[in-house]
Amino acid sequence: LEHEVARGGFGTLYAARDEAAGGQVAIKVAHADNPLAHQQLEREAQVLRAIGPPTVPAVHTSGLLPEGVPYLVMQFIAWPTLAQRLGQLSGPMPLAEFGPRAHALLDALESVHGRGFLHGDLKPENVFLDEERGRAGFFDFGLAQPVLRALGEAGYTTTVFEHGRRWPIRPDGTTAAPITALFTVLVDGDDHDEPIADAVRGILDGHVVLSLRIAERGRYPAMDLLRSVSRTLPHCLDPQ
């Protein structure tokens, strides 16, 4: 072992030297007194193997220490995290930088979701920036779970969401063409955050939200302007 890199609620990450291969590796060890941490580290090893680099660190090996504590040996990622980059900025990220980084992040998310997983703890500290290749990737998959299981736990059959992915109409029937679609979605109880409504809003990030409460007050069109704003907008603009 060389030094401790980070310590979290479920485990500790160390930088180490592989004496056989001569390179640097990362070793993650679950906290011995936390059975849930053991399960999460074992899950993380499975997910990292299923997704694979360059989106996630490569897994070298995993196993149990003599006292029965799980460990995971993986590729050491020396690139900066998104949190570190944001900490260097005195204001909003310049647009010339934001565009490529946003595309890289979306490509990485597409890779994770394409393998059938949700990260479960996506935040700037868990995003690494491959400056050499213009890519992004993710750490810390201890809370990850299969996409369809997560949706099923919301109380709906997974086929509802599988069909939802095919709702957008593309002119040539492929996923590469521009999306041109107009949806009218009636939401029970005016709850726009229930899973079906939220899934539909996630297909296209442009919405005109009509509110029953506004209509009952006699104002037409009953457009809720604040709820019609893109959910990504607050993260793209300076509050000033």
Side-chain angles (χ1 to χ4, degrees):
L1 295 180
E2 294 183 338
H3 61 271
E4 181 179 310
V5 176
R7 179 181 294 267
F10 296 99
T12 303
L13 184 68
Y14 300 94
R17 179 69 52 180
D18 185 340
E19 295 181 349
Q24 194 174 37
V25 296
I27 301 178
K28 191 170 188 179
V29 181
H31 292 328
D33 57 351
N34 190 334
L36 180 59
H38 297 192
Q39 298 174 16
Q40 290 191 340
L41 191 59
E42 292 169 355
R43 180 193 302 125
E44 181 171 12
Q46 296 172 357
V47 174
L48 291 178
R49 287 190 174 99
I51 298 173
T55 307
V56 301
V59 174
H60 298 316
T61 187
S62 62
L64 297 175
L65 296 175
E67 57 270 29
V69 177
Y71 69 87
L72 173 62
V73 182
M74 53 191 166
Q75 174 188 2
F76 184 85
I77 301 293
W79 296 306
T81 65
L82 179 57
Q84 291 171 328
R85 176 60 188 132
L86 293 175
Q88 296 170 347
L89 299 173
S90 58
M93 183 176 288
L95 186 59
E97 178 183 356
F98 173 80
R101 291 205 188 280
H103 279 290
L105 184 58
L106 290 174
D107 287 343
L109 279 173
E110 183 178 20
S111 179
V112 172
H113 297 165
R115 298 298 194 281
F117 294 98
L118 294 176
H119 185 282
D121 190 23
L122 197 57
K123 55 188 178 182
E125 291 79 4
N126 289 337
V127 178
F128 65 80
L129 306 173
D130 183 345
E131 305 286 18
E132 297 177 5
R133 300 175 180 82
R135 295 171 176 164
F138 306 109
F139 301 117
D140 202 351
F141 280 79
L143 296 177
Q145 57 181 312
V147 171
L148 295 183
R149 179 188 301 171
L151 295 176
E153 288 175 354
Y156 296 86
T157 62
T158 56
T159 54
V160 170
F161 298 92
E162 289 180 301
H163 287 301
R165 298 170 188 166
R166 297 192 288 269
W167 289 339
I169 305 300
R170 296 173 170 86
D172 64 356
T174 71
T175 59
I179 300 175
T180 303
L182 178 64
F183 296 102
T184 301
V185 182
L186 180 63
V187 180
D188 184 29
D190 213 22
D191 179 7
H192 295 268
D193 293 321
E194 61 87 31
I196 297 294
D198 191 65
V200 174
R201 292 170 67 195
I203 295 173
L204 295 175
D205 197 41
H207 324 102
V208 176
V209 176
L210 302 179
S211 169
L212 176 61
R213 290 186 292 272
I214 294 175
E216 288 174 340
R217 295 201 298 267
R219 196 189 83 189
Y220 295 94
M223 183 185 299
D224 188 330
L225 294 178
L226 293 179
R227 302 201 71 173
S228 297
V229 172
S230 165
R231 289 177 290 180
T232 63
L233 186 62
H235 304 287
C236 303
L237 298 180
D238 186 334
Q240 303 301 323

